[in-house]
Amino acid sequence: MMPPSTSKRWLPAAGVALVLIAALYGVTLVYAAGETLLAGTMLLISALALWVYSSRRTYAYRYLFPGIAAALIFVVFPMAYTMGIGFTNYSSKNLLKFPRATQYFLDETYQAGGEPLAFTLHADGGGFRARIEEGDAGKAFISGPLALKGTEPLALKLEPAEQVKTTLGDPLPLKDVIAKQPQLKALAFVLPDGRTLRMTGLRQFGPVQRLYEKQADGSLLNQQDGSVLRPNFDSGFYETASGERMQPGFQVGVGWANYTRIFTDKAFQEPFIRIFVWTVVFSALTVLIGSALGMFLAVLFNWDALRFKGVYRVMLFLPYAVPGFISILVFKGLFNNNFGEINLILEALFGIRPAWFSDPTLAKLMLLIVNVWLGYPYMMVICMGLIKAISADLYEASAVAGAGPLTNFFRITLPLILKPLTPLLISAFAFNFNNFVLVALLTGGRPDFLDTSVPAGTTDLLVSYTYRIAFQDSGQQYGLAAAISTVIFVMVAAISLVQMRFTKIARDDRR
Amino acid sequence: MAIVLDKSHRWRVLAAHLFLIVLVLLVIFPFLMILSISLRPGNFAAGSLIPEHISLEHWKLALGLSYTAPDGRLVRPDFPVLLWLWNSVKVAGLTAVITLTLSTTAAYAFARMKFRGRQAALGGLMLMQMFPAVLALVAIYAIFDRLGNVFPAVGIDSHAALLLAYSGGIALHVWTIKGYFDTIPVEIEEAAKVDGATPWQAFRLVLLPMAVPILMVVFLLAFIGAIIEYPVASILLHEEAKLTLAVGSKLFLYDQKYLWGDFAAAAILSGLPITVVFILAQKWMISGLTAGGLKG
């Protein structure tokens, strides 16, 4: 073999250096933006990557690193982070981190003493110029040419009118000023004497000042009325002396408060328990009905006397092959109370029009029907595989003994497939326990309970309830939603433990 | 087996056929309905289940074409269905490539190398896939929201964010591929190594070409998984032009704006190719999955 040339040896090193520089640049950017945790995570990963790809002892990890890193960052980290958020008050009211919330107050302005100045807008070529007149002093100032296209904040110096070599036409009518108001509001004019003017009316620009000034002890002094805002790190708000909370709040840790709310606050506890019960009932019934139907079909297809099995099998497999989101939405339309085809048929046949989407019981029934329709083919395929593995001798022996099909099923088929099937049934249960897509697309959790103060639906599963708290109608309470997610984590972990136990039993049995 | 068939047996066969036919009708009823709805004029038309006259208006709208209504109005498509389909295919295709790359390399290490923490990592991967991403939605949203403040390219409403969020879902695929690698005799690679191949060369030039079937399966599984994914996409994408099909299709059926016929055409247009891919891949998938599942 040829010894590797120098360029070949240097190329990887240069590549590593380049990637490293890019990574460090990224980390610095993130850190500068105030996302310390994120920056730390990125730094840690970059350091790990450097170690894995440079050390000789970590050869195997080079193959593992990208995949494991992706799984850790985008699967494990979000889960840990969810648990962390569950201990904070992160919500639409407490969206910002403390420094950013502080900055928000520091950026607020008010109209300071001093008379507002008359303002007129003039056309200038394709753009505009602004003219400010200080009536008392008889002075006028003119801006440079303005495009007035964007709404980004912009500070502009104004020149005394006599120094600007241009003749302005008549002022533009008010309707043109109104049309440009958003763009004008973003402007700050700086006069030669240092005063800063902002738009305070359609015909005037006034001097404005920062409303708050930061004190040494972290409180904010209101320049206008001398009151003081103090940050309260228990409530996550800046508060006035009388305890009034100022928006926006900031994120703080609240300990177990979210959990206390879920389990002891009546407003939450009641819907939570009802939804939990429905979640369990829904998953159990789905698995029970789906697997019973699937198993029955699998037994039928194992019957030699039955013809056209291939055709039936393909047809009955279809629900599994069609993307779930499409079938669920199709059902949503077919079940529609007023112009759904299902009600059309029911009315023609029996003269009834069930309100599938507004009656809680019917809505639950509909969810079950759709979910069994979606889920039985999987059970059918699995059971067909398991039944195929049963030795034909057993059935021959039972036929000799004169056993009927029912005896065959309950004495031979069921006992033999139940053990390997159990772990799959449990994972199907776990899947349906978290069957967010079905509920989100079909009912959205509705109809809602009428007697709860927090919006909660009669068909909501725990996950869709969480989603509603976080992203829909309850004011984006991320912290609370994360706490509920954590509770679901624990439940899923418990289900998984049971499942692993049964998997082990099934595997030991096979040996 | 020569068993005397009595009369009750014939009845049982007949009953079984009857049951299966009824069931098949129930199962394919939604598909037939949706086809009929996509071909009948109007979004509310009720009455006959089989359209009396066929209209292609919904199909034109689904394909992004305008059509002229009978009263002379020009009807424009409400939603960019083809754009959504393209978004879905783009995101799913890239996700599948990323997933395949990450899980194949990891599976190679698990199948062929000895290192500390191997068993623990394998078990951890198994455990990981039991917790669905829907439980971590709040954190996923927060992470990409904050990431987007620094790097807008991977913030909310970007496909890159979706790709990153999907790239972690490799656990099951690692197990599947590892199971397949375990069935390939290690001697072939060792022979290559004796001839001077590095582990990378043995992997890239010897093992991978032999594993093409399972790679196809995993690619398709990852592709379909990303196409039908709804929860993560629904919180990361908001802008209409960025939506994937799974998120966008929902917009057809709002109570205030109920576009049943348009939805039907769009559903068939987008669902049919995915279904065909799935059925074609089905045979490989079942064999691939059991191969991955049974090996420990």
Side-chain angles (χ1 to χ4, degrees):
Chain A
M1 262 189 43
M2 293 252 299
S5 63
T6 12
S7 75
K8 236 182 182 168
R9 250 188 303 147
W10 277 106
L11 218 57
V16 167
L18 265 180
V19 170
L20 205 67
I21 290 169
L24 283 177
Y25 177 67
V27 171
T28 321
L29 269 187
V30 176
Y31 184 74
E35 303 287 356
T36 322
L37 180 70
L38 205 62
T41 317
M42 286 172 66
L43 192 66
L44 186 75
I45 290 161
S46 313
L48 262 177
L50 180 68
W51 176 59
V52 165
Y53 286 99
S54 60
S55 164
R56 261 177 209 294
R57 281 187 306 159
T58 54
Y59 193 82
Y61 296 114
R62 291 184 195 185
Y63 290 86
L64 282 176
F65 185 77
I68 300 286
L72 286 179
I73 300 170
F74 296 111
V75 178
V76 178
F77 176 65
M79 292 190 186
Y81 195 31
T82 303
M83 294 179 192
I85 293 176
F87 292 102
T88 70
N89 64 350
Y90 186 29
S91 66
S92 56
K93 281 185 187 158
N94 302 71
L95 200 60
L96 304 174
K97 294 277 190 185
F98 178 63
R100 286 194 159 230
T102 310
Q103 195 56 47
Y104 177 89
F105 286 109
L106 292 178
D107 283 346
E108 278 197 56
T109 55
Y110 75 105
Q111 197 175 333
E115 287 297 303
L117 280 67
F119 153 77
T120 45
L121 191 65
H122 302 261
D124 178 63
F128 304 89
R129 275 176 193 256
R131 185 170 185 276
I132 299 284
E133 193 172 315
E134 194 162 15
D136 314 342
K139 280 194 234 160
F141 307 93
I142 293 179
S143 73
L146 300 169
L148 295 186
K149 293 248 166 64
T151 54
E152 299 86 40
L154 195 63
L156 291 171
K157 280 219 155 95
L158 295 196
E159 305 279 333
E162 57 271 18
Q163 288 181 19
V164 182
K165 289 178 183 56
T166 182
T167 352
L168 294 178
D170 286 335
L172 289 172
L174 266 190
K175 76 168 171 40
D176 292 345
V177 179
I178 293 171
K180 285 294 172 192
Q181 205 176 3
Q183 289 83 357
L184 287 168
K185 285 235 174 203
L187 296 179
F189 291 143
V190 183
L191 295 186
D193 60 9
R195 275 182 293 168
T196 304
L197 307 177
R198 285 176 189 279
M199 195 178 195
T200 52
L202 285 175
R203 292 171 197 276
Q204 59 187 33
F205 266 59
V208 289
Q209 277 191 356
R210 301 261 172 250
L211 183 55
Y212 293 102
E213 190 160 298
K214 200 167 185 178
Q215 308 282 93
D217 63 348
S219 62
L220 301 178
L221 179 69
N222 188 323
Q223 305 282 317
Q224 201 173 8
D225 57 13
S227 65
V228 172
L229 291 186
R230 286 182 199 286
N232 180 335
F233 288 96
D234 290 326
S235 70
F237 286 97
Y238 273 100
E239 292 177 352
T240 59
S242 59
E244 195 192 332
R245 294 176 173 184
M246 303 292 288
Q247 293 288 354
F250 46 89
Q251 292 177 39
V252 287
V254 292
W256 294 91
N258 287 324
Y259 294 92
T260 330
R261 243 174 117 187
I262 298 170
F263 290 112
T264 59
D265 185 347
K266 267 274 181 291
F268 274 94
Q269 189 194 12
E270 218 172 303
F272 184 85
I273 290 174
R274 281 192 227 172
I275 290 171
F276 172 72
V277 170
W278 163 240
T279 307
V280 173
V281 169
F282 165 80
S283 335
L285 280 181
T286 303
V287 173
L288 206 68
I289 303 173
S291 58
L293 183 59
M295 206 184 290
F296 180 65
L297 289 171
V299 172
L300 270 188
F301 289 142
N302 197 40
W303 191 16
D304 293 325
L306 197 73
R307 294 175 60 204
F308 313 117
K309 275 186 282 202
V311 183
Y312 289 132
R313 212 159 46 201
V314 171
M315 292 289 188
L316 292 175
F317 181 73
L318 266 184
Y320 192 59
V322 176
F325 71 92
I326 289 181
S327 341
I328 295 169
L329 288 172
V330 166
F331 273 111
K332 180 176 176 168
L334 290 177
F335 271 109
N336 188 292
N337 291 350
N338 298 318
F339 18 75
E341 276 65 17
I342 289 178
N343 272 5
L344 218 76
I345 296 173
L346 288 179
E347 188 165 41
L349 292 180
F350 311 107
I352 49 169
R353 256 180 187 281
W356 296 105
F357 285 92
S358 38
D359 182 277
T361 321
L362 286 175
K364 287 177 177 180
L365 183 66
M366 172 178 72
L367 269 187
L368 277 174
I369 293 173
V370 175
N371 207 23
V372 167
W373 186 92
L374 287 169
Y376 82 85
Y378 170 75
M379 289 296 170
M380 179 179 87
V381 172
I382 297 285
C383 289
M384 271 161 48
L386 291 174
I387 289 176
K388 212 177 267 173
I390 299 176
S391 150
D393 301 352
L394 289 172
Y395 294 107
E396 268 171 46
S398 84
V400 169
L406 276 181
T407 322
N408 272 349
F409 178 73
F410 284 109
R411 290 295 169 84
I412 303 177
T413 316
L414 191 61
L416 278 174
I417 65 172
L418 203 54
K419 223 170 208 174
L421 195 61
T422 311
L424 294 168
L425 292 181
I426 297 173
S427 67
F429 180 87
F431 172 82
N432 285 303
F433 196 87
N434 295 313
N435 200 337
F436 171 75
V437 179
L438 177 72
V439 175
L441 291 183
L442 194 57
T443 67
R446 272 162 286 272
D448 283 353
F449 288 116
L450 299 174
D451 54 347
T452 56
S453 50
V454 190
T458 47
T459 59
D460 258 327
L461 302 181
L462 282 177
V463 271
S464 62
Y465 179 53
T466 315
Y467 182 87
R468 287 174 81 167
I469 291 179
F471 300 105
Q472 283 178 353
D473 33 26
S474 323
Q476 302 182 318
Q477 308 182 51
Y478 301 118
L480 184 68
I484 300 182
S485 287
T486 309
V487 175
I488 307 177
F489 272 128
V490 176
M491 294 178 186
V492 173
I495 301 173
S496 304
L497 272 180
V498 176
Q499 194 220 4
M500 283 195 285
R501 182 108 215 113
F502 276 100
T503 313
K504 199 166 174 304
I505 293 173
R507 196 181 296 157
D508 291 346
D509 209 49
R510 204 179 301 137
R511 278 183 191 144
Chain B
M1 254 196 316
I3 299 175
V4 186
L5 302 177
D6 55 11
K7 216 171 171 189
S8 89
H9 180 86
R10 250 189 308 155
W11 277 112
R12 283 216 304 270
V13 173
L14 205 64
H17 277 293
L18 212 63
F19 169 78
L20 285 172
I21 287 168
V22 170
L23 191 68
V24 165
L25 285 180
L26 277 178
V27 164
I28 61 171
F29 163 76
F31 301 124
L32 298 179
M33 274 328 301
I34 210 75
L35 184 66
S36 137
I37 289 156
S38 79
L39 291 173
R40 80 186 175 193
N43 274 316
F44 296 100
S48 63
L49 297 179
I50 301 156
E52 277 133 16
H53 47 265
I54 288 189
S55 148
L56 291 178
E57 54 180 81
H58 303 307
W59 281 93
K60 283 190 180 153
L61 292 182
L63 290 167
L65 307 169
S66 307
Y67 82 98
T68 319
D71 57 5
R73 235 164 3 100
L74 188 71
V75 180
R76 289 180 197 287
D78 277 285
F79 299 113
V81 179
L82 286 183
L83 180 65
W84 290 345
L85 184 60
W86 165 240
N87 286 345
S88 280
V89 169
K90 186 175 78 179
V91 169
L94 289 173
T95 302
V97 170
I98 296 172
T99 307
L100 193 61
T101 315
L102 296 183
S103 49
T104 312
T105 44
Y108 176 62
F110 279 123
R112 292 290 191 263
M113 295 177 182
K114 284 196 175 61
F115 53 88
R116 258 196 299 163
R118 180 172 171 278
Q119 280 308 324
L122 269 174
L125 281 176
M126 203 58 173
L127 202 66
M128 214 186 276
Q129 55 95 29
M130 289 178 184
F131 295 89
V134 63
L135 292 181
L137 283 184
V138 172
I140 292 174
Y141 178 81
I143 289 171
F144 285 103
D145 189 31
R146 284 179 188 173
L147 212 55
N149 289 337
V150 192
F151 308 108
V154 288
I156 302 292
D157 253 332
S158 73
H159 289 154
L162 207 53
L163 283 180
L164 284 179
Y166 290 163
S167 70
I170 59 162
L172 197 65
H173 303 312
V174 171
W175 272 84
T176 311
I177 301 177
K178 176 193 169 285
Y180 194 86
F181 282 168
D182 284 342
T183 64
I184 299 178
V186 69
E187 284 77 18
I188 308 177
E189 288 153 65
E190 271 164 8
K193 281 183 194 165
V194 170
D195 289 345
T198 62
W200 171 253
Q201 285 169 327
F203 167 64
R204 167 78 188 71
L205 302 172
V206 180
L207 187 60
L208 276 195
M210 287 192 289
V212 167
I214 200 67
L215 300 185
M216 302 273 283
V217 170
V218 168
F219 182 88
L220 286 171
L221 276 177
F223 182 82
I224 291 171
I227 283 234
I228 64 174
E229 204 281 340
Y230 173 77
V232 176
S234 82
I235 56 155
L236 288 186
L237 303 177
H238 301 294
E239 207 180 299
E240 191 176 280
K242 294 276 174 61
L243 298 185
T244 60
L245 261 180
V247 185
S249 307
K250 196 187 172 189
L251 302 181
F252 278 105
L253 298 182
Y254 272 125
D255 284 341
Q256 294 82 359
K257 198 173 180 204
Y258 193 74
L259 303 170
W260 190 210
D262 299 347
F263 166 76
I268 300 176
L269 182 73
S270 50
L272 204 59
I274 306 172
T275 309
V276 169
V277 169
F278 189 86
I279 291 181
L280 289 181
Q282 185 54 36
K283 259 212 153 86
W284 301 340
M285 282 186 191
I286 289 182
S287 58
L289 281 182
T290 40
L294 294 184
K295 303 275 190 259

